[in-house]
Amino acid sequence: MIQQYFSEITNLLAIVKKEEQEALNHAAKKVADVIQNGGIVHLFGCGHSHILTEEVYYRAGGLVPIHPILHEPLMLHEGAVRSSMLERKNDYAKTFMEEQDIRKGDLVIVISTSGRNPVPVDVAVLAKSKEAFVIGITSMAYSSSQPSRHTSERHLFDVVDLVIDNHAPVGDALLSHDKVEVNFSPSSTVIGATILNAIFAESIKQMAENDYDPPVFLSGNIEGADQHNRILIDTYKQRIQL
């Protein structure tokens, strides 16, 4: 199974690299443009998708102007089953999205592999109402196979400005065994982390080639990093609490 999982993930990454190249480039350009114009990048996900919002936050080698929208009841540590139930509630996103400092010229990335639950859909809609550019990372195969739970019957891919397909299979799990009743071994976190880091890598390159100094954190375990990072933290402290 170890070799098979590596093989399946490698194949899936190759598919994303080939099929999503245009969308990835578009996303990278938007990220670069937003940062060069003083905006920031917000990310949101429920349950395990929220892990990806933290993956790129305050990260050595990562961009500084990154703001994860972390609403704890939708994360796993306050109750995994409860978080799943809340994700299905229409209009619940209004309870935490109104207070988010999302502005015109910002970019919001919403992550939901199934794309069917109301909270990610509403987050995308509310972010667009604040005039942000919204990217959705989702699985088109998964989303298209399941009815939406949103009152509008829309999925995440219906309400965003740009869709990036993570090509996760229906149910997210990659592997099967004749003695196991259900498929197992999820894919979306590995693929999602690669998608986000690839986008940001390209955006950093584009900023550099535009003669704009990319705001990138240096590992705090490297001598001299504290001064480098403090300057960047001070630059964005009005919008991102670090």
Side-chain angles (χ1 to χ4, degrees):
M1 284 291 117
I2 291 172
Q3 294 300 322
Q4 188 174 347
Y5 185 77
F6 269 87
S7 178
E8 293 293 338
I9 284 291
T10 300
N11 289 340
L12 201 52
L13 285 169
I15 290 170
V16 171
K17 179 183 176 184
K18 178 182 177 182
E19 300 295 332
E20 303 306 308
Q21 189 66 55
E22 183 176 348
L24 294 170
N25 284 332
H26 187 178
K29 186 177 187 308
K30 289 298 298 187
V31 169
D33 289 346
V34 163
I35 293 173
Q36 288 171 159
N37 286 290
I40 65 173
V41 178
H42 310 263
L43 299 100
F44 175 80
C46 299
H48 284 88
S49 292
H50 104 269
I51 295 170
L52 295 175
T53 75
E54 293 193 70
E55 158 68 18
V56 293
Y57 171 60
Y58 194 56
R59 187 66 188 262
L63 288 166
V64 178
I66 300 295
H67 172 241
I69 301 172
L70 300 176
H71 181 65
E72 294 196 15
L74 291 170
M75 296 157 69
L76 302 174
H77 64 282
E78 288 194 352
V81 174
R82 178 170 176 260
S83 72
S84 292
M85 296 306 297
L86 288 175
E87 185 182 1
R88 300 181 183 188
K89 290 183 66 174
N90 283 276
D91 298 321
Y92 181 78
K94 292 179 182 178
T95 65
F96 61 88
M97 278 296 289
E98 296 295 337
E99 66 191 33
Q100 300 300 321
D101 181 19
I102 298 172
R103 306 178 187 178
K104 182 178 181 179
D106 283 352
L107 187 147
V108 178
I109 300 174
V110 182
I111 306 153
S112 173
T113 295
S114 76
R116 67 182 303 213
N117 287 317
V119 168
V121 172
D122 283 338
V123 166
V125 170
L126 291 167
K128 287 182 72 172
S129 75
K130 295 182 180 223
E131 299 186 77
F133 185 88
V134 181
I135 297 172
I137 298 178
T138 190
S139 166
M140 292 300 295
Y142 196 163
S143 296
S144 300
S145 74
Q146 306 295 317
S148 172
R149 293 188 173 114
H150 197 274
T151 52
S152 70
E153 299 184 355
R154 293 181 296 178
H155 292 76
L156 180 61
F157 66 77
D158 291 312
V159 298
V160 299
D161 297 303
L162 176 65
V163 176
I164 298 174
D165 190 349
N166 66 13
H167 291 267
V170 177
D172 198 5
L174 290 177
L175 304 182
S176 62
H177 190 280
D178 57 10
K179 291 188 176 181
V180 181
E181 291 185 2
V182 298
N183 286 1
F184 52 93
S185 299
S187 60
S188 59
T189 303
V190 175
I191 302 302
T194 304
I195 286 171
L196 288 172
N197 282 301
I199 289 169
F200 292 165
E202 176 64 21
S203 71
I204 289 167
K205 184 200 80 169
Q206 291 186 16
M207 282 184 268
E209 292 181 351
N210 289 336
D211 295 322
Y212 183 91
D213 189 14
V216 176
F217 277 120
L218 187 61
S219 171
N221 295 311
I222 294 176
E223 289 298 317
D226 289 351
Q227 181 178 359
H228 170 91
N229 292 340
R230 174 53 57 188
I231 293 170
L232 293 171
I233 289 169
D234 287 345
T235 299
Y236 291 98
K237 65 182 179 181
Q238 297 301 318
R239 301 207 59 198
I240 302 174
Q241 300 302 313
L242 289 166

